[in-house]
Amino acid sequence: MKIAIVSDWLVTYSGAERVLAELITIWPDADLFSVIDFLSDQDRTHLGGKRNTTTFIQHLPKAKSRYQSYLPLMPHAIEQLDLSAYDLVISSSHAVAKGVLTGPDQLHISYVHSPMRYAWDLQHQYLKEIGLTKGLKSKVARMILHYMRIWDQRTAAGVDEFIANSHFIARRIQKTYRRNAKVIYPPVDTTRFTAQEQKEDFYLTASRMVPYKKIPMIVEAFNAMPDKRLVVIGTGPEHAKVKEVAGPNVTLLGYQSSETLIDHMQRAKAFVFAAEEDFGITPIEAQACGTPVIAYGKGGVLETIRGLESPVPTGVFYRDQTAESLQEAVGLFELLQTRITPKACRDNAERFSVQRFRQEIKAYVEARITAQDALEAIELETAHIPRYLETARTLARTTAN
């Protein structure tokens, strides 16, 4: 069986690329395809050194640094990839990868991190964050996103089976494409972390500083709690804003190595999370370190963190994405933190291990291949029945006459 694995784009090694790496581990002989591929040699080692077959966008000006500006061209680009020689196509998609063209004799299974959020339910938030709420550019952007929605929904018909990375995304798939999806959680390399029993008197947050991560909001919440120390790891477009609002009890460490991040995760009293994520790997990594998570109670975290209502909790949820709501959650955590143990956090994180992902997705894909083979065999065996029936009808008419 010839297998093709399709991803949206390869620029950095993050969540979607970790899934891609595991797919390659399971099917090492598969050929890779994507819109562009600018992955560094160091990051490419995770993919076994493989390179992708790419599209014409790879050769356009500044495609590496400004590839997202070519989004309107990506539906056309992904459809130019010729996958006709492959029996099985697996797409790992959060944008356009699921839109590859396949035929009736090919099985296309799409692992969806999310339908294009910026084109669907988060369009207005996206336009606000990039400053395109008014004017001619805003109108053009809305027209483009309208076109992307039409294309995105139409190409869902070319997917035989959907896999969602969480029940939250499965609901989004149902809402967007009117299709059911099997839920298989992404892989988290829990072997990189060890749980630490002894915690120190500080809270930790770590992420790229982009608007939806709400790092300034977290900092403002701790400004109002001067007796509590917050350590912030990460950098990004909002770093200057975070630095401006940070009080004396907030320590900004900027970008740090994974070893430093893990060390802080192990020692922190709790990890603070404010984003609405489709899944969210970092809170699971914190739990793998034996560290509770205080998280905004929406999105994928509701599936990866066990709140105080659980018999074995691993964190605390807060209702609103506001500094006041987060402050209340921190107070509740300090009141009830003895209910949350490092062992409970670690055990919960193990539900999302790499080995579990490999077993689940391999079993699912193989079951679908078997089902398709069985269906084709039935169709072959029964193909002659209409001819026999027509012959019988002809004989019956002849005899009657």
Side-chain angles (χ1 to χ4, degrees), residues 275-304:
E276 179 186 337
E277 291 279 15
D278 305 325
F279 178 68
I281 289 177
T282 312
I284 298 172
E285 293 177 338
Q287 291 175 85
C289 293
T291 300
V293 181
I294 302 173
Y296 172 50
K298 194 171 182 181
V301 294
L302 293 174
E303 302 170 47
T304 62

Side-chain angles (χ1 to χ4, degrees), residues 187-243:
V188 180
D189 188 4
T190 55
T191 61
R192 295 174 55 227
F193 310 91
T194 55
Q196 185 164 308
E197 294 281 341
Q198 298 299 319
K199 303 298 181 181
E200 298 180 17
D201 192 20
F202 71 91
Y203 292 85
L204 173 69
T205 190
S207 80
R208 179 164 167 75
M209 294 184 183
V210 291
Y212 85 96
K213 295 288 188 178
K214 304 295 181 183
I215 303 301
M217 184 274 286
I218 295 175
V219 170
E220 288 173 4
F222 277 84
N223 284 345
M225 300 181 289
D227 58 322
K228 296 172 178 46
R229 182 181 166 217
L230 174 69
V231 174
V232 182
I233 292 178
T235 187
E238 292 210 316
H239 186 267
K241 182 177 180 180
V242 171
K243 186 175 181 180

